[in-house]
């Protein structure tokens, strides 16, 4: 998430003195962390995480980050590890802990495109050790090439990385590609072949544009073409156009990542961002294009499908105590035709799983070959 997505402290109206944690305790909403997906299962399991910089995750030390996280009975409001320096862990350790998911999408990796050493380090960090029986993974990058809109911090801004389990890559993946309308390193697509009654899938790793009043420049000429708000709305239209074309071509679409939009009042705490007004316009445009408009995608928000009235958040700014100010801006959206295939969807909503980032991971899994309606009674 771009740093100014969450409202400044003075712009948020406090709803009493409760944090997310104390409010949930009062409402008796303490829930257990679900079990990790079964290792190498037939389900398609996707994790997505805005890591706010990849470097800490290529290191081998694994101190307090995953301490105790092998226990599936970990409460969502667990505050262990909330204080003290941000711990680190390797990507390989995260994949192992979560039961070897099919895909791990990372956003805001902050790698300069010319930094081959860091790219190789990430690639090595997800590979299986020689002689290991554990699954192997490969890392694919989409890094910025736009010299007019991506200039800060030595080019270490934005960028996404798709980490794909090798057996899935060999047997199911048709191609890993980008889009020609983005040069900021924000979109990468994994597309699959139809197999054993499973439809073709177009699975998007997204780090969406944040709406601000900063100028947006033509990527070729550098001429100012409006604001970042204008660019955000333009990207909504471009993304929708691609999704509709893919569905017409027989693909089922899954959008995963930091969408930089909190959809509704329930998705912001202590309140939803409404200032300045342009954020409300951006939100309405996003909801219309991808959920509400019959001429749009009419997608399924997988978390809200399974947890209709549950409050859950994915962005926790490090400038605030965990739970004081947070938003659900990391989403997994799928084509309506995949509704009955959604098996589970949630987030790992603890300070420990935030780690050195300011987001927590989100995940969803899909089961094919049978209709699967899950166990949640709130499912619509």
């Amino acid at each position: 998430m771009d740093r100014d997505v969450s409202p400044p402290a003075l712009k948020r109206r406090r709803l009493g003195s409760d944090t997310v944690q104390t409010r949930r305790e009062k409402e008796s909403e303490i829930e257990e962390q679900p079990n990790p997906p079964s290792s190498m299962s037939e389900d398609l399991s996707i994790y997505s995480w805005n890591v706010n910089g990849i470097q800490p995750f290529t290191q081998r030390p694994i101190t307090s980050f995953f301490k105790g996280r092998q226990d599936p009975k970990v409460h969502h409001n667990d505050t262990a590890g909330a204080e003290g320096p941000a711990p680190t862990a390797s990507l390989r350790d995260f994949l192992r802990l979560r039961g070897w998911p099919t895909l791990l999408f990372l956003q805001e990796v902050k790698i300069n495109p010319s930094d081959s050493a860091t790219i190789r380090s990430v690639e090595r960090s997800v590979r299986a050790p020689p002689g290991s029986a554990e699954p192997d993974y490969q890392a694919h990058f989409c890094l910025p090439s736009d010299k007019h809109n991506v200039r800060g911090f030595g080019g270490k801004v934005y960028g996404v990385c798709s980490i794909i389990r090798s057996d899935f890559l060999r047997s199911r993946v048709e191609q890993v590609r980008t889009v020609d309308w983005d040069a900021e390193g924000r979109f990468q697509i994994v597309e699959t072949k139809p197999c054993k009654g499973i439809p073709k899938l177009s699975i998007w790793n997204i780090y969406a544009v944040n709406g601000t009043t900063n100028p947006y420049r033509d990527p070729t000429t550098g001429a100012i073409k409006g604001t970042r708000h204008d660019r955000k709305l333009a990207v909504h239209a471009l993304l929708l156009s691609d999704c509709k074309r893919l569905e017409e071509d027989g693909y089922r679409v899954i959008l995963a990542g930091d969408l930089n939009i909190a959809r509704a009042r329930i998705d912001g705490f202590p309140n939803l961002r409404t200032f300045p007004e342009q954020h409300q316009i951006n939100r309405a445009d996003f909801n219309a294009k991808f959920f509400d408009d019959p001429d749009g995608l009419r997608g399924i928000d997988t978390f809200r499908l399974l947890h209709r009235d549950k409050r859950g958040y994915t962005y926790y700014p490090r400038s605030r105590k965990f739970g004081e100010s947070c938003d659900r801006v990391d989403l997994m959206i799928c084509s309506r035709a995949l509704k009955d295939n959604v098996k589970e969807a949630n987030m790992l909503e603890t300070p420990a799983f935030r780690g050195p980032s300011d987001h927590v991971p989100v995940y969803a899994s899909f089961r094919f070959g049978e209709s699967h309606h899950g166990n949640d009674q709130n499912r619509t």
Side-chain angles (χ1 to χ4, degrees), residues 40-98:
M40 304 294 287
S41 70
E42 294 299 321
D43 298 334
L44 172 69
S45 54
I46 307 170
Y47 279 76
S48 176
W49 193 359
N50 180 325
V51 293
N52 191 24
I54 195 67
Q55 282 76 10
F57 297 89
T58 62
Q59 302 172 16
R60 289 303 304 171
I62 183 168
T63 54
S64 58
F65 188 7
F66 295 135
K67 184 177 181 181
R69 292 300 177 263
Q70 297 283 3
D71 182 358
K73 298 183 182 300
V74 178
H75 292 128
H76 279 280
N77 69 342
D78 181 9
T79 57
E83 305 297 333
T88 59
S90 75
L91 292 170
R92 184 89 189 157
D93 289 317
F94 181 83
L95 293 166
R96 180 182 297 109
L97 175 67
R98 303 315 301 168

Side-chain angles (χ1 to χ4, degrees), residues 254-363:
I254 300 173
L255 308 179
D258 180 357
L259 276 297
N260 260 315
I261 287 282
R263 292 191 57 212
R265 173 66 187 83
I266 195 174
D267 298 315
F269 181 84
N271 66 301
L272 188 67
R273 183 173 191 174
T274 58
F275 180 88
E277 183 181 3
Q278 184 64 45
H279 289 288
Q280 300 181 61
I281 296 172
N282 296 347
R283 178 181 301 115
D285 181 76
F286 178 77
N287 281 330
K289 282 184 167 61
F290 295 97
F291 298 100
D292 302 333
D293 193 329
D295 294 325
L297 181 66
R298 300 197 69 217
I300 298 293
D301 180 339
T302 59
F303 175 79
R304 199 53 69 203
L305 173 71
L306 297 179
H307 310 284
R308 184 175 56 199
D309 301 317
K310 177 181 176 181
R311 289 184 175 273
Y313 309 102
T314 66
Y315 173 62
Y316 293 84
R318 302 201 70 88
S319 60
R320 306 289 296 272
K321 184 178 179 181
F322 190 90
E324 282 188 340
S325 174
C326 40
D327 303 274
R328 188 176 73 97
V329 296
D330 302 82
L331 308 175
M332 296 264 193
I333 303 166
C334 69
S335 294
R336 186 164 294 271
L338 294 178
K339 178 178 180 180
D340 288 340
N341 300 105
V342 179
K343 177 186 175 186
E344 56 184 348
N346 219 320
M347 67 276 292
L348 302 176
E349 194 182 5
T350 71
F353 272 111
R354 179 180 62 174
S357 179
D358 47 8
H359 292 245
V360 299
V362 298
Y363 63 92

Side-chain angles (χ1 to χ4, degrees), residues 17-162:
S17 60
D18 289 351
T19 64
V20 171
Q21 179 188 349
T22 56
R23 171 176 50 77
R24 287 178 177 169
E25 289 173 344
K26 289 179 180 179
E27 295 174 354
S28 301
E29 292 182 353
I30 298 174
E31 299 188 53
E32 295 180 349
Q33 292 278 17
N35 289 309
S38 300
S39 177
M40 304 294 287
S41 70
E42 294 299 321
D43 298 334
L44 172 69
S45 54
I46 307 170
Y47 279 76
S48 176
W49 193 359
N50 180 325
V51 293
N52 191 24
I54 195 67
Q55 282 76 10
F57 297 89
T58 62
Q59 302 172 16
R60 289 303 304 171
I62 183 168
T63 54
S64 58
F65 188 7
F66 295 135
K67 184 177 181 181
R69 292 300 177 263
Q70 297 283 3
D71 182 358
K73 298 183 182 300
V74 178
H75 292 128
H76 279 280
N77 69 342
D78 181 9
T79 57
E83 305 297 333
T88 59
S90 75
L91 292 170
R92 184 89 189 157
D93 289 317
F94 181 83
L95 293 166
R96 180 182 297 109
L97 175 67
R98 303 315 301 168
W100 309 116
T102 316
L103 301 166
L104 170 59
F105 286 167
L106 306 178
Q107 300 90 41
E108 204 173 355
V109 294
K110 295 184 178 178
I111 301 175
N112 187 301
S114 64
D115 185 357
S116 58
T118 298
I119 292 172
R120 288 195 301 269
S121 178
V122 175
E123 292 171 340
R124 288 193 301 268
S125 73
V126 301
R127 299 303 303 268
S132 171
E134 294 180 341
D136 190 50
Y137 286 81
Q138 295 186 28
H140 297 254
F141 296 88
C142 176
L143 302 176
S145 61
D146 186 335
K147 299 185 183 302
H148 296 289
N149 293 294
V150 185
R151 297 182 294 179
F153 304 101
K156 292 185 178 182
V157 292
Y158 311 152
V160 300
C161 176
S162 300

